[in-house]
């Protein structure tokens, strides 16, 4: 049986929203159309994907499995379309993703010296899309910051760098030459707790259940605005703190916290010689 990618895309959006009205709105289709497509997909797969009642819509075990497997399939299809369109234009383009604070200039210069006829495109990524950009074909390689989901990827370490605490300029720890993670136990840290397990394990707010709901940041600039306004502190790589230097925040080294690992990543099944040439330059 062939999987209809349109139905699969409808399913993924509904699985993310768990609400037919919101999902139909995101897809720009009528709600009855979405319902018919989901029923057709369930008939084709011979399994129920959702449990529905008047109050809620939930995924079944089969639905959860399809969501896990369906997302990378849709991303691969999108990457295929991008590369086919590029080939049709008759141009050779090589796209490089990079995270904030990382400078790729020297690597790009060395690469273009080897491949003067290749059009190089640089794409700034974020914590949310540094891997997604690889899977959907926006970039051929990506300079990423760990941790990431490494499934389906080849990942090569490049370097590690210290992480620092970014504090409001008037913070009680702002004048310190360095601090320890225990000094931050009573602080609100704006990172995802799992990204800073050293703090997560000693956080007073997390232990007492008084931590405010975590905010999802789409850029480092947003996070630094909240630090400057006294909403909390952040743990970020040293190069990022230096690149986004501003007078109303300070950064202080944290002596007993692990470094951030910077790596080069690409889709494992890709066999492009350009990818391996760039990897050779970076390493």
């Amino acid at each position: 049986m062939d999987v209809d990618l349109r139905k699969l895309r409808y399913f993924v959006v509904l699985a993310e929203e768990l609400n037919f009205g919101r999902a139909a709105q995101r897809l720009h289709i009528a709600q009855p159309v979405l319902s018919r497509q989901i029923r057709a997909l369930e008939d084709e797969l011979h399994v129920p994907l959702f449990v529905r009642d008047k109050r809620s819509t939930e995924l079944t075990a089969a639905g959860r499995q399809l969501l896990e497997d369906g997302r990378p399939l849709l991303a691969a299809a999108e990457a295929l379309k991008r590369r086919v369109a590029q080939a049709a234009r008759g141009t050779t383009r090589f796209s490089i993703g990079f995270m904030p604070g990382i400078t790729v200039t020297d690597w790009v210069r060395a690469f273009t010296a080897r491949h003067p006829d290749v059009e190089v495109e640089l794409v700034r990524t974020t914590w949310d899309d540094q891997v997604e950009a690889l899977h959907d074909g926006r970039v051929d390689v990506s300079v990423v910051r760990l941790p990431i989901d490494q499934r389906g990827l080849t990942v090569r370490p490049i370097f590690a760098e210290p992480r620092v605490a970014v504090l409001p300029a008037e913070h009680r720890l702002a004048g310190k030459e360095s601090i320890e993670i225990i000094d931050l136990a009573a602080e609100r840290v704006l990172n995802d707790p799992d990204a800073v397990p050293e703090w997560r394990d000693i956080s007073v707010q997390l232990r007492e259940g008084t931590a405010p709901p975590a905010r999802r940041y789409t850029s480092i600039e947003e996070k630094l605005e909240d630090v400057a306004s006294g909403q909390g502190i952040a743990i970020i790589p040293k190069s990022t703190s230096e690149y986004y230097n501003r007078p109303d925040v300070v950064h202080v080294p944290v002596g007993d916290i692990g470094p951030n690992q910077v790596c080069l990543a690409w889709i494992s099944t890709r066999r492009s010689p350009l990818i391996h040439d760039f990897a050779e330059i970076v390493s």
Side-chain angles (χ1 to χ4, degrees), residues 2 5 26 48 78 104 128 130 149 168 174 179 212:
D2 295 328
L5 292 181
R26 268 182 63 183
E78 183 64 27
V104 299
D128 288 335
Q130 58 177 340
D149 183 350
I179 59 176

Side-chain angles (χ1 to χ4, degrees), residues 3-106:
V3 176
D4 184 329
L5 292 181
R6 182 182 62 175
K7 292 190 185 78
L8 181 60
R9 183 165 64 90
Y10 289 175
F11 162 78
V12 168
V13 172
L14 178 57
E16 291 173 346
E17 295 290 345
L18 291 177
N19 179 282
F20 276 84
R22 290 195 301 269
Q25 191 172 28
R26 268 182 63 183
L27 291 163
H28 305 292
I29 61 174
Q31 186 171 328
V33 173
L34 175 60
S35 296
R36 286 196 298 271
Q37 293 295 317
I38 295 300
R39 282 197 299 270
L41 180 60
E42 290 177 320
D43 290 343
E44 291 171 8
L45 295 174
H46 306 293
V47 293
L49 300 172
F50 295 95
V51 178
R52 313 171 181 84
D53 59 33
K54 292 182 179 180
R55 291 175 296 179
S56 66
T57 299
E58 301 293 337
L59 284 166
T60 64
R64 290 192 294 272
Q65 186 63 55
L66 183 60
L67 180 61
E68 181 180 344
D69 294 336
R71 280 173 168 153
L73 183 60
L74 289 174
E78 183 64 27
L80 174 65
K81 288 194 295 183
R82 290 176 189 271
R83 288 195 285 270
V84 168
Q86 178 182 314
R89 291 193 297 267
T91 59
T92 302
R93 177 178 296 176
F94 189 73
S95 299
I96 303 166
F98 65 99
M99 284 287 284
I102 298 174
T103 302
V104 299
T105 308
D106 290 343

Side-chain angles (χ1 to χ4, degrees), residues 186-247:
E187 300 288 338
R188 180 190 178 194
V189 174
L190 301 178
N191 304 68
D192 180 332
D194 290 337
V196 193
E198 300 93 338
W199 170 80
R200 178 200 61 202
D201 295 340
I202 62 169
S203 167
V204 173
Q205 289 186 341
L206 292 179
R207 185 174 67 249
E208 296 178 349
T210 58
R215 176 184 169 187
R216 182 177 179 181
Y217 293 94
T218 59
S219 69
I220 185 64
E221 292 90 344
E222 291 178 356
K223 187 175 290 185
L224 291 178
E225 283 294 333
D226 274 0
V227 171
S229 63
Q231 301 300 310
I233 68 171
I235 305 294
I236 65 176
K238 183 180 179 182
S239 64
T240 305
S241 71
E242 293 172 342
Y243 188 84
Y244 291 92
N245 193 25
R246 47 188 290 172

Side-chain angles (χ1 to χ4, degrees), residues 161-167 171 173 176-185 187 189 191 196-199 202 233-238 241 250-260:
E161 63 171 317
R163 289 187 290 173
V164 299
V166 182
L167 317 167
H171 194 276
L173 299 173
K176 299 283 189 179
E177 289 188 9
S178 67
I179 59 176
E180 304 296 321
I181 195 66
I182 192 65
D183 296 322
L184 305 177
E187 300 288 338
V189 174
N191 304 68
V196 193
E198 300 93 338
W199 170 80
I202 62 169
I233 68 171
I235 305 294
I236 65 176
K238 183 180 179 182
S241 71
V250 298
H251 64 263
V252 180
V254 185
D256 57 349
I257 194 172
N260 176 244

